[in-house]
Amino acid sequence: MIPIPKSLKQRLRKLTNLPRYGPVALHDPQQQVQVWLRGAGESIDVTHNNVVAALRPFTIGVMLDRNCPESFVRTPLRLCMEEKCGSKRLLGAITLRPAGSIPLPEHRFCLFETSDCENFSVSALNLRLYYLYERWRAKRRQRKNPYNFLMTPEDLHCSYVFYICPRPVVLVTVEREGAGNMFPMDLIGPTDSPWFSMTLRSTSPAVRLMQQSRRMALASVPFSYKAAAYEMGKHHKKASIDWASLPFRTVQSPLFDLPVPEAALLVREVHVEEFHEVGSHVLFITSVERETIPEHAAEGIDSLQLFHCYSSYRQYLLQEAAPRVAARKA
């Protein structure tokens, strides 16, 4: 088989405008997409209150007031992604079905599995081509490694819609009795409440460390740290790391004295209140003990943060962010 030159692949991808998952540079909190929980005649703004609780089955968590009527949760619900400005067009929607809840003081963390979705951020033809392409990639990966983590096609399609809304990436630091780790996460809160959620695959060695330590530091990192953050993804498979091997300078967090990147835009120190097994993942419900904005971040230096986003809407966000990134590098 004759290999296709990379430049040609890029032209073909641009021509077909296939959805893509990847990084974008934005200010936090993102202001591009508004998220609504819609039921029988009611709509709740959950832009900063919709999180992943598990990938298999694909499970979404929303924090609701404890007094929210049970009838609302039990009615057919849809999680809708809309443009926040401009025409406010509907970009996608996910159909939800109740999958339990976690009671908390004055709140309940409601879990929903996904049953169907609609994706309007790309043409139906291009979306279909993308589904076929991803199915081919999944089969290829499975042949190479039969133990690969797999989601059902339906769950994958719903995850594409979920990630139309940009999701922030943080570097998580945790230590316990001489063992320590730092790794990237985007399956995180907030939840429009005193609690901040975090979800990690149950097979990750870091889960036990997080359960035992019960305290962590979450560092929001600038977009310029993208390569370093991705390289640290391999730490998910390690029980502990050598701090001297990190590719950047660190400082100690103010409250828990945990190593965090010196260039962090925000340091959020959290305490684990509860943890629950949800499908393939462990869901951590944490309380935010302290948030610190470093001086360099307050001054706006390199203030665009690393986010993840799916679909062709990402291309729009990249076009919007590129001039700002170039201006800051100049």
Side-chain angles (χ1 to χ4, degrees):
M1 183 176 178
I2 301 176
I4 302 175
K6 186 176 180 180
S7 59
L8 180 56
K9 286 183 179 179
Q10 292 171 340
R11 293 195 191 101
L12 288 172
R13 186 182 292 124
K14 186 175 181 180
L15 179 64
T16 56
N17 192 29
L18 292 181
R20 294 180 63 199
Y21 170 85
V24 291
L26 300 170
H27 291 292
D28 191 23
Q30 63 85 23
Q31 299 294 324
Q32 281 67 33
V33 177
Q34 194 161 19
V35 186
W36 295 91
L37 184 63
R38 294 205 163 112
E42 296 188 56
S43 296
I44 301 176
D45 186 349
V46 293
T47 303
H48 307 296
N49 181 20
N50 65 107
V51 299
V52 171
L55 291 178
R56 192 176 61 198
F58 189 60
T59 307
I60 294 172
V62 177
M63 189 72 74
L64 296 177
D65 188 278
R66 174 164 281 188
N67 297 323
C68 181
E70 184 69 23
S71 59
F72 176 77
V73 178
R74 293 296 170 183
T75 58
L77 293 173
R78 298 207 318 158
L79 195 70
C80 301
M81 314 286 170
E82 294 184 355
E83 281 186 327
K84 191 169 183 179
C85 302
S87 62
K88 297 188 177 181
R89 66 187 173 108
L90 180 64
L91 300 169
I94 304 172
T95 303
L96 307 176
R97 57 173 179 264
S101 64
I102 300 171
L104 296 164
E106 306 302 325
H107 293 82
R108 53 179 169 157
F109 191 60
C110 295
L111 302 175
F112 302 94
E113 292 180 6
T114 60
S115 58
D116 196 10
C117 65
E118 298 171 285
N119 192 333
F120 306 113
S121 68
V122 63
S123 73
L125 175 60
N126 287 349
L127 189 61
R128 179 61 179 166
L129 289 173
Y130 184 66
Y131 286 168
L132 292 173
Y133 172 67
E134 285 298 303
R135 187 177 303 174
W136 171 79
R137 286 186 64 199
K139 289 181 179 179
R140 186 181 181 188
R141 288 195 299 267
Q142 199 66 9
R143 284 196 299 267
K144 290 183 177 180
N145 183 2
Y147 302 102
N148 265 333
F149 182 87
L150 285 178
M151 297 170 64
T152 67
E154 293 77 15
D155 280 353
L156 274 173
H157 300 168
C158 289
S159 75
Y160 302 159
V161 175
F162 185 84
Y163 271 86
I164 288 175
C165 179
R167 310 288 169 173
V169 180
V170 298
L171 290 178
V172 178
T173 303
V174 58
E175 284 186 326
R176 171 73 174 180
E177 296 179 347
N181 206 339
M182 183 186 291
F183 46 85
M185 284 187 69
D186 69 350
L187 303 184
I188 60 172
T191 65
D192 271 352
S193 75
W195 293 277
F196 192 93
S197 74
M198 304 173 64
T199 301
L200 195 63
R201 196 182 304 180
S202 57
T203 55
S204 171
V207 166
R208 184 176 179 84
L209 198 59
M210 294 163 69
Q211 291 171 332
Q212 293 176 340
S213 171
R214 287 189 171 265
R215 59 183 198 174
M216 291 162 282
L218 283 61
S220 302
V221 293
F223 186 78
S224 58
Y225 269 47
K226 176 185 66 174
Y230 289 171
E231 176 64 20
M232 292 170 66
K234 62 187 179 184
H235 291 177
H236 279 288
K237 298 181 179 180
K238 297 183 178 181
S240 188
I241 64 169
D242 176 10
W243 295 112
S245 68
L246 294 178
F248 44 71
R249 291 171 57 90
T250 63
V251 295
Q252 302 306 113
S253 67
L255 184 61
F256 295 151
D257 201 34
L258 294 170
V260 295
E262 185 180 48
L265 302 174
L266 171 70
V267 176
R268 182 184 286 110
E269 294 173 273
V270 303
H271 181 269
V272 176
E273 302 294 341
E274 302 181 14
F275 50 85
H276 304 266
E277 287 193 17
V278 182
S280 57
H281 284 59
V282 176
L283 169 68
F284 292 85
I285 304 294
T286 76
S287 58
V288 179
E289 302 296 308
R290 177 164 177 166
E291 288 187 350
T292 305
I293 300 177
E295 184 177 342
H296 67 86
E299 294 172 351
I301 300 174
D302 200 13
S303 61
L304 290 174
Q305 185 177 326
L306 175 61
F307 278 73
H308 282 159
C309 186
Y310 229 124
S311 87
S312 291
Y313 196 62
R314 171 176 173 262
Q315 303 304 318
Y316 166 77
L317 295 178
L318 285 172
Q319 292 168 5
E320 290 290 304
R324 297 197 298 270
V325 174
R328 292 184 182 278
K329 290 181 177 180

